[in-house]
Amino acid sequence: MKKFNIRKVLDGLKEVSSSTQSVQVGPQENHLIQETLQSEHFQLCKTVRHGFPYQPSSMAFDPVQKILAFGTQSGALRLFGRPGVECYCQHESGAAVIQLQFLINEGALVSALADDSVHLWNLRQKRPAILHSLKFNRERITFCHLPFQSKWLYIGTERGNIHIVNVESFMLSGYVIMWNKAIELSSKAHPGPVVHISDNPMDEGKLIIGFESGIVVLWDLKSKKADYRYTYDEAIHSVAWHHEGKQFICSHSDGTLTIWNVRGQGKPIQTITPHGKQPKDGKKPEPCKPILKVEYKTTRNGDPFIILSGGLSYDTAGRRPCLTVMHGKSTAVLEMDYPIVDFLTLCETPYPNDFQEPYAVVVLLEKDLVVIDLAQNGYPIFENPYPLTIHESPVTCCEYFADCPVDLIPALYSAGSRQKRQGYSKREWPISGGNWGQGTQSYSEIIITGHADGTVKFWDASAIMLQVLYKLKTAKVFDRNRSREDKGSAEVSDEDPFAIQIMAWCPESRMLCVAGVSANVIIYRFSKLEVTTEVVQLLEVRMQYELNDIESPDGGGGGGEQTSALPTPGASPQTSGPPSHPSTSSNNSDGGNIPCLKVRSTPLKQSPGYQVDLVVQLVWVSGEPPQQITSLALNSSYGLVVFGNSNGLVVVDYVQKTVVLNLGTVELYGSNDPYQRQPRSPRKARQPSGGLCDINEGSATSEDRCKSPTSDHRDNSFSRSRSSSVTSIDKEAREVISSFHFCETFTRKGDSTLTPCLYVGTSLGTVLALAVTLPPAGEQRQLQPVIIAPTGMLVRLKGSIMRMAILDSTGSQLSPVYEPWYEPNITADGEEREKVRKRRPVSVSPSTSQDFSESQYAVVCSEKQAKVISLPSQTCIYKHSITETSFILRADVVQMSQGMCLACFCANGHIMTLSLPGLRPLMDVNYLPLTDMRIARTFCFTNLGQAMYLCSPTEIQRITYSQDTCENLQEMLGELFTPVETPEAPNRGFFKGLFGGGAQSLDREELFGEVAAGKASRSLAQHIPGPGGIEGMKGAASGVVGDLARARIALDERGQKLGDLEDRTAAMMASADSFSKHAHEMMLKCKDKKWYQF
């Protein structure tokens, strides 16, 4: 029995009463389709974030767990283990992460933020959470240090003081190292902020403190005084110890390194300027840029490594940022592509008092992560297995496909594996911590990204992983070297003439079509064989929207019936090679047929993978550059590609390499044009095309690429005025072709058979149908023309048309027919090829019985509303107003495991799903309060409840709106923490044990605990318990390590209780002592007195 649901009833009442959400139901369709999707099938949650951390600011590594952590300027935390284990968390404040410190092998991490807060993260759960936070009120945090296997965290501040925090309770100790005690009393000046803190590797009781001004102090924690002070007249950036604790090294702002003996106070024993030119007369070398960080790592059987960033000489202008590795007498300077944010040397041991044995250096750059192998000659880099190259060139568009054919990922992978660079380190990737999730997801997913430099990347996105499969460079089709005289033209200043605007892909046939910003469309076939194309096939198309003033002096107001309003028909005949005229878009007086880019004239070697089949270019017409392409679709079964812009649409037959149709928007309507169109003079400022186009931060891509510089650009915000009135068109507005859909349907009203059809949606909310007549398959397909005829308007909606789809009589989606993939470069005789080509198109859905009089539904979604039309009667049976105040940025008809739905992403940040065909609202979540241009441009939904968008220029955020996926997510996520034995401490050796050398340990508890140090000032910092506290205890409760942790906490608590008891006993004894003392004194006083003298 069906459960009674009061919410559904209320929803129903609301829909009936609300004027905006009207739902019409035709009489006989009322009970046709039983909808299976309910609102409980939907839940929205973030799944995983891929890509390079945007604007990274800090880094840390756990050498036992082998986990790498990054902090960013926006307060994000990204953790990486073995390939496929990655995690994203966010500090609520959004303040920059200035430092990260792992509690090594404890499954915890301390983060220090620019808002002077310190947080403890529990990494023992799949989604890390904050256990404790401490917010400093009066002092600014500049440096933190947590010694290995210690629970006391040293925090240095801008005022030069050092505070100590108990990591377990996150309480401040009363022990404070004040700057004025640390420096000499004779020096009057403040030493500056604390830039470094670390304990002597051989003596935990000695702390080295580096102040910015150039003073270094060796502080004795027990005696609470400075043992030694070391002064240098240049500012300090970092300090590092030699593992024996007898020497340390400092890096300075003048590009020098100073090496000091711990006991030698006066001068450094050695001063090195790694990049300074040494003058002959023994003077000081010339100053260099600051050395921002230095690390000093020793090896058992050889020279130590000194590794540093910065320090280049000032005369190396234009030199790229460098990491310098000094090893014995050799100095290697490793150039990086971006500025260095931080670097870490990975060593075999976590113990600071042992030979370090460094094996790799992790270098965090502003836009990349590089890991250098120190164990191989020439310091090769490791091949990075993480998907960190999403932003290699800024992303301009994305498409997402779930449930792809099973052979597709292997085919793309094998084509992509040939593209790999050589010369990487032979060793395994050193960051290997964590465990993969136990995902049960069986279907394959592919993400395709289009980029500003014309590359298209295919990514395997199955089971919440991301891995690049294949990379296609579309710019190879064009000549890159523009001649010198063209460079003066204002048009050439375009930064990204090859940028990808729209992509259409058919996974089954593997046909790919891309539209670029320079008004070009390239059609690709997939092949496993290499081929050399002598001449790239090219079609040049003239698209023009001019209502001719001379022939229509009355203003063309006759309802669009005058034939003078037609665009210039036809396309230039197919040229065997590229045209001979100049390639750039110069505004020459004759305004000749010039494309924006010149197709290459030399033979093109095409590797296995995607190979160019045909290039279509729009050309300048009478001094006007071509309008940008705003919509694109392809159908592999029909062999057609269609694209549109603000002038009209063009249908290309890529089998015969001809233009089948080149129609102005007005012509689509025929004599039924509902709009009053005004004539336009040719040189008015043009309205840019309808897509949202400003994409990436660095180079703001203008929407009118490849147009004259005078053309106006739409402002970046979403405050586009949308005229709701569709009866009159503003003089300057253009009706833009906004979407297409190929289908087999009842093309005309009252048709009884299904025929191929192309639906066209426009920016004014009209859907028009075009009937497609195809020649018979086989040889005839090569010879006879494809005929396409407009059949009139299907429906009109408010706002620009976003998405169209066809459902069968049961409510399942009828996907467009396709041709299965075949190898296009078969070299066998003609007959063999003929057979392959004759394969019949395979329809995805089972053929539906035509018993119903109404046997299909057309789903149409615009920026404002959705309608479902019954075919072939063409009556609207359902309609739903999705948004009044905002507009939809992306809409997709998607297949969930329980049925079909319409998913919409709105400019106000709402994500909504509607049932099909009934258009009942199933989910509405206010997901993103602020939506920027990048998200608008890259958001896409796909089947089975998956969606994605670019949350920053370098990162893809994946989300799910499926309840099933949300429930299984915990299983699919990887584990960051795995129980690992801590390596044994280094052996002290017999003589060191006998004569006391070796490491000196220190009872920090005795020094920093409340008994000895007292309580810290309450106003200094406030403790905030984290939301992950209870979860954290649950997390810690798993496994042996958890038991140990619990035992330790219990012991600590017991110790504290015993300590309290001891204190109380001591206090009682003290008071008993004083009582007996008083009693004794009293007795002495009274001894000689008589009773009456009292």
Side-chain angles (χ1 to χ4, degrees):
M1 194 186 127
K2 204 170 170 193
K3 270 198 301 196
F4 177 72
N5 190 332
I6 187 74
R7 200 170 88 207
K8 299 270 160 41
V9 176
L10 291 171
D11 281 352
L13 286 171
K14 197 163 70 189
E15 278 170 14
V16 173
S17 64
S18 146
S19 57
T20 59
Q21 302 182 353
S22 54
V23 177
Q24 311 165 355
V25 181
Q28 81 269 30
E29 286 88 21
N30 207 344
H31 301 294
L32 272 186
I33 294 176
Q34 183 68 47
E35 288 181 2
T36 47
L37 270 178
Q38 301 300 331
S39 50
E40 54 264 25
H41 293 135
F42 294 91
Q43 184 186 342
L44 195 71
C45 71
K46 290 182 181 178
T47 52
V48 65
R49 184 172 288 204
H50 302 293
F52 183 76
Y54 183 54
Q55 294 179 327
S57 53
S58 55
M59 173 171 66
F61 182 68
D62 184 325
V64 181
Q65 285 286 324
K66 298 217 174 349
I67 295 280
L68 189 63
F70 301 109
T72 73
Q73 290 178 25
S74 57
L77 206 54
R78 296 281 303 277
L79 295 129
F80 290 88
R82 67 178 60 205
V85 175
E86 51 179 296
C87 174
Y88 155 76
C89 328
Q90 178 71 44
H91 291 91
E92 263 180 47
S93 67
V97 181
I98 53 174
Q99 213 178 336
L100 293 170
Q101 291 262 303
F102 274 100
L103 277 70
I104 293 171
N105 206 22
E106 296 277 350
L109 175 76
V110 171
S111 58
L113 270 56
D115 65 356
D116 309 307
S117 59
V118 189
H119 307 270
L120 178 67
W121 289 86
N122 173 27
L123 309 182
R124 291 174 180 238
Q125 53 199 69
K126 289 191 172 183
R127 293 227 154 162
I130 291 177
L131 290 167
H132 297 282
S133 301
L134 196 64
K135 177 92 168 72
F136 280 76
N137 299 324
R138 298 199 306 247
E139 298 213 44
R140 310 227 56 185
I141 297 172
T142 54
F143 193 87
C144 297
H145 170 62
L146 180 68
F148 178 44
Q149 293 182 323
S150 160
K151 67 171 186 180
W152 297 96
L153 171 74
Y154 300 107
I155 295 179
T157 68
E158 201 171 47
R159 289 188 185 173
N161 303 325
I162 293 177
H163 300 281
I164 298 165
V165 175
N166 181 329
V167 175
E168 285 173 359
S169 64
F170 244 57
M171 292 306 208
L172 272 170
S173 161
Y175 192 114
V176 182
I177 304 171
M178 303 302 280
W179 67 270
N180 53 354
K181 296 261 175 58
I183 64 165
E184 280 176 280
L185 298 174
S186 57
S187 63
K188 303 249 182 339
H190 187 277
V194 174
V195 293
H196 180 85
I197 310 167
S198 59
D199 43 359
N200 184 322
M202 285 295 179
D203 186 353
E204 294 173 347
K206 302 280 197 280
L207 202 62
I208 211 157
I209 305 162
F211 294 98
E212 193 179 67
S213 65
I215 298 173
V216 178
V217 173
L218 187 70
W219 181 265
D220 186 320
L221 288 166
K222 279 186 187 156
S223 62
K224 301 187 184 177
K225 65 178 189 354
D227 277 1
Y228 298 104
R229 297 182 180 89
Y230 317 85
T231 46
Y232 191 72
D233 48 10
E234 288 293 338
I236 289 178
H237 284 279
S238 74
V239 184
W241 280 102
H242 184 283
H243 84 272
E244 287 174 352
K246 291 174 185 164
Q247 284 183 353
F248 61 90
I249 187 167
C250 301
S251 74
H252 299 278
S253 56
D254 63 346
T256 57
L257 296 172
T258 52
I259 299 178
W260 304 76
N261 266 342
V262 168
R263 295 180 188 279
Q265 284 197 265
K267 281 188 174 172
I269 54 166
Q270 197 182 353
T271 303
I272 313 164
T273 312
H275 296 281
K277 293 191 178 73
Q278 296 290 341
K280 293 208 169 68
D281 49 8
K283 286 183 186 162
K284 272 181 85 173
E286 60 185 54
C288 294
K289 293 175 185 170
I291 295 176
L292 299 175
K293 183 172 180 181
V294 64
E295 292 206 338
Y296 194 9
K297 301 295 180 188
T298 51
T299 59
R300 202 164 252 111
N301 311 317
D303 296 306
F305 282 87
I306 295 177
I307 301 165
L308 55 119
S309 63
L312 293 181
S313 73
Y314 281 101
D315 61 6
T316 50
R319 179 104 178 253
R320 293 195 294 183
C322 293
L323 185 85
T324 307
V325 180
M326 299 165 73
H327 183 227
K329 293 201 170 106
S330 78
T331 299
V333 180
L334 309 171
E335 287 201 339
M336 301 291 158
D337 290 340
Y338 304 101
I340 296 172
V341 176
D342 195 2
F343 73 88
L344 290 171
T345 311
L346 309 190
C347 299
E348 296 289 354
T349 176
Y351 292 94
N353 58 353
D354 195 5
F355 285 99
Q356 297 296 287
E357 304 296 350
Y359 59 89
V361 185
V362 181
V363 190
L364 175 60
L365 308 176
E366 275 182 9
K367 293 186 178 178
D368 201 3
L369 178 73
V370 176
V371 183
I372 296 158
D373 186 353
L374 291 179
Q376 265 179 263
N377 283 341
Y379 304 135
I381 64 168
F382 288 90
E383 185 177 4
N384 196 324
Y386 304 139
L388 302 182
T389 57
I390 291 165
H391 62 289
E392 221 168 7
S393 166
V395 176
T396 52
C397 55
C398 299
E399 291 298 334
Y400 190 3
F401 300 85
D403 214 5
C404 301
V406 286
D407 56 349
L408 198 50
I409 287 176
L412 286 163
Y413 181 79
S414 76
S417 59
R418 299 160 199 261
Q419 302 175 325
K420 292 216 167 128
R421 274 180 44 200
Q422 299 303 310
Y424 288 113
S425 165
K426 305 275 187 292
R427 297 193 315 136
E428 289 281 298
W429 179 249
I431 300 146
S432 55
N435 278 328
W436 288 332
Q438 304 299 310
T440 49
Q441 186 181 314
S442 52
Y443 54 89
S444 57
E445 295 171 77
I446 291 177
I447 289 172
I448 308 180
T449 51
H451 299 262
D453 65 355
T455 51
V456 175
K457 287 184 187 173
F458 290 78
W459 304 82
D460 176 4
S462 312
I464 70 170
M465 304 256 289
L466 192 71
Q467 185 186 11
V468 72
L469 289 170
Y470 174 76
K471 183 171 161 183
L472 169 66
K473 294 179 176 169
T474 64
K476 278 185 179 172
V477 171
F478 302 104
D479 270 346
R480 281 171 180 267
N481 45 347
R482 293 171 157 178
S483 55
R484 261 193 221 119
E485 59 269 21
D486 294 337
K487 287 228 166 85
S489 152
E491 297 299 325
V492 184
S493 62
D494 241 346
E495 308 96 63
D496 303 314
F498 307 111
I500 306 290
Q501 184 113 343
I502 316 172
M503 301 177 290
W505 189 49
C506 172
E508 288 80 14
S509 66
R510 305 183 192 170
M511 290 297 298
L512 172 72
C513 185
V514 298
V517 287
S518 299
N520 55 288
V521 171
I522 314 173
I523 300 161
Y524 288 92
R525 289 182 186 274
F526 186 85
S527 169
K528 292 181 177 177
L529 307 173
E530 187 174 292
V531 67
T532 299
T533 307
E534 293 300 319
V535 176
V536 174
Q537 297 272 311
L538 172 69
L539 280 178
E540 292 194 337
V541 180
R542 289 165 59 89
M543 283 181 88
Q544 199 173 4
Y545 174 103
E546 291 307 335
L547 295 154
N548 201 316
D549 289 316
I550 302 142
E551 293 183 32
S552 104
D554 60 37
E561 286 173 35
Q562 281 155 310
T563 49
S564 62
L566 302 186
T568 319
S572 63
Q574 176 194 338
T575 47
S576 58
S580 55
H581 46 246
S583 64
T584 42
S585 1
S586 50
N587 281 341
N588 47 1
S589 53
D590 63 329
N593 302 328
I594 302 170
C596 296
L597 295 172
K598 185 179 173 196
V599 171
R600 66 185 286 158
S601 46
T602 50
L604 175 64
K605 183 183 162 193
Q606 306 207 69
S607 308
Y610 275 101
Q611 299 172 351
V612 65
D613 194 46
L614 177 65
V615 179
V616 185
Q617 282 186 300
L618 296 185
V619 294
W620 284 58
V621 179
S622 53
E624 292 267 309
Q627 294 286 316
Q628 277 201 346
I629 292 163
T630 53
S631 48
L632 176 72
L634 87 106
N635 185 290
S636 58
S637 173
Y638 307 157
L640 299 178
V641 163
V642 58
F643 60 90
N645 62 12
S646 57
N647 288 340
L649 65 88
V650 172
V651 181
V652 172
D653 176 350
Y654 61 77
V655 178
Q656 296 182 23
K657 313 271 190 284
T658 55
V659 173
V660 177
L661 188 71
N662 178 359
L663 266 189
T665 320
V666 188
E667 251 190 316
L668 284 168
Y669 289 94
S671 56
N672 310 324
D673 190 351
Y675 305 113
Q676 304 259 316
R677 296 174 198 269
Q678 300 293 325
R680 294 173 63 248
S681 66
R683 291 299 286 168
K684 277 193 182 151
R686 287 176 311 285
Q687 177 78 5
S689 53
L692 290 156
C693 280
D694 179 21
I695 303 145
N696 44 49
E697 269 71 67
S699 58
T701 4
S702 99
E703 190 155 55
D704 270 357
R705 274 237 193 257
C706 188
K707 294 185 183 172
S708 69
T710 55
S711 63
D712 55 2
H713 301 320
R714 183 180 289 133
D715 137 67
N716 266 359
S717 67
F718 280 149
S719 56
R720 304 192 268 162
S721 63
R722 302 263 168 200
S723 158
S724 56
S725 145
V726 282
T727 48
S728 70
I729 302 182
D730 171 46
K731 277 186 189 172
E732 287 303 324
R734 290 258 193 114
E735 185 170 14
V736 178
I737 305 291
S738 58
S739 60
F740 295 111
H741 185 67
F742 281 107
C743 50
E744 307 249 316
T745 185
F746 304 102
T747 310
R748 294 171 182 81
K749 193 169 186 172
D751 270 6
S752 57
T753 53
L754 299 174
T755 52
C757 169
L758 170 63
Y759 279 153
V760 180
T762 77
S763 58
L764 296 177
T766 314
V767 177
L768 300 133
L770 283 84
V772 179
T773 311
L774 296 162
E779 200 179 329
Q780 295 298 309
R781 178 67 186 85
Q782 306 278 346
L783 305 172
Q784 291 183 27
V786 175
I787 298 159
I788 297 182
T791 62
M793 199 160 68
L794 175 72
V795 68
R796 269 171 54 196
L797 281 77
K798 259 197 229 169
S800 179
I801 302 293
M802 307 290 292
R803 183 70 60 206
M804 299 171 284
I806 299 284
L807 307 181
D808 66 12
S809 54
T810 65
S812 319
Q813 185 173 8
L814 278 172
S815 301
V817 288
Y818 62 83
E819 176 180 66
W821 176 76
Y822 62 88
E823 174 54 68
N825 296 323
I826 288 180
T827 48
D829 49 48
E831 244 176 84
E832 177 65 33
R833 175 133 195 188
E834 203 55 48
K835 261 186 223 153
V836 176
R837 294 224 78 141
K838 269 184 189 162
R839 275 193 206 161
R840 285 304 305 135
V842 182
S843 177
V844 179
S845 70
S847 58
T848 50
S849 58
Q850 304 296 321
D851 305 342
F852 292 99
S853 55
E854 303 284 328
S855 52
Q856 279 187 354
Y857 302 98
V859 180
V860 184
C861 181
S862 78
E863 290 179 316
K864 296 281 187 185
Q865 56 180 174
K867 284 186 180 179
V868 174
I869 290 94
S870 177
L871 299 174
S873 69
Q874 296 192 1
T875 51
C876 175
I877 55 167
Y878 298 106
K879 144 173 135 181
H880 180 74
S881 176
I882 300 169
T883 173
E884 289 292 323
T885 52
S886 185
F887 56 96
I888 290 164
L889 293 168
R890 176 81 186 209
D892 288 290
V893 172
V894 291
Q895 172 80 51
M896 302 288 282
S897 48
Q898 298 88 357
M900 303 298 305
C901 73
L902 174 65
C904 305
F905 173 56
C906 203
N908 60 12
H910 281 251
I911 292 177
M912 292 163 274
T913 58
L914 303 169
S915 73
L916 286 177
L919 300 180
R920 285 178 301 119
L922 296 171
M923 179 184 82
D924 183 350
V925 178
N926 185 4
Y927 173 67
L928 285 169
L930 286 171
T931 300
D932 63 11
M933 222 48 166
R934 186 189 328 99
I935 296 171
R937 208 54 202 141
T938 57
F939 198 102
C940 30
F941 296 98
T942 185
N943 293 337
L944 302 164
Q946 309 289 351
M948 63 150 284
Y949 59 93
L950 252 80
C951 55
S952 76
T954 63
E955 294 164 293
I956 285 175
Q957 177 67 57
R958 287 164 69 182
I959 59 177
T960 182
Y961 47 98
S962 148
Q963 173 70 36
D964 296 351
T965 312
C966 286
E967 283 174 2
N968 297 329
L969 186 59
Q970 202 63 18
E971 281 175 34
M972 290 161 73
L973 292 171
E975 307 237 14
L976 284 168
F977 180 78
T978 46
V980 181
E981 282 287 316
T982 304
E984 275 189 34
N987 197 346
R988 284 174 68 184
F990 174 71
F991 288 107
K992 278 191 176 170
L994 198 62
F995 301 114
Q1000 301 289 314
S1001 64
L1002 166 81
D1003 187 350
R1004 295 189 179 95
E1005 185 70 51
E1006 196 181 307
L1007 273 179
F1008 306 146
E1010 211 174 285
V1011 179
K1015 285 190 173 175
S1017 157
R1018 280 203 179 162
S1019 59
L1020 181 63
Q1022 72 194 85
H1023 174 252
I1024 306 152
I1030 300 155
E1031 282 183 67
M1033 281 319 289
K1034 278 187 204 152
S1038 60
V1040 186
V1041 189
D1043 295 339
L1044 287 171
R1046 278 207 308 277
R1048 207 163 84 199
I1049 291 166
L1051 272 171
D1052 280 353
E1053 283 172 0
R1054 193 168 157 220
Q1056 276 171 359
K1057 282 176 188 159
L1058 283 170
D1060 289 353
L1061 194 63
E1062 210 173 321
D1063 289 354
R1064 280 198 220 115
T1065 315
M1068 279 166 75
M1069 279 169 75
S1071 75
D1073 262 8
S1074 77
F1075 179 78
S1076 75
K1077 219 169 170 180
H1078 277 112
H1080 188 65
E1081 278 170 24
M1082 195 76 176
M1083 185 199 78
L1084 290 172
K1085 241 187 215 169
C1086 307
K1087 199 166 74 172
D1088 301 319
K1089 286 190 181 178
K1090 304 280 184 235
W1091 65 268
Y1092 51 84
Q1093 288 174 316
F1094 282 103

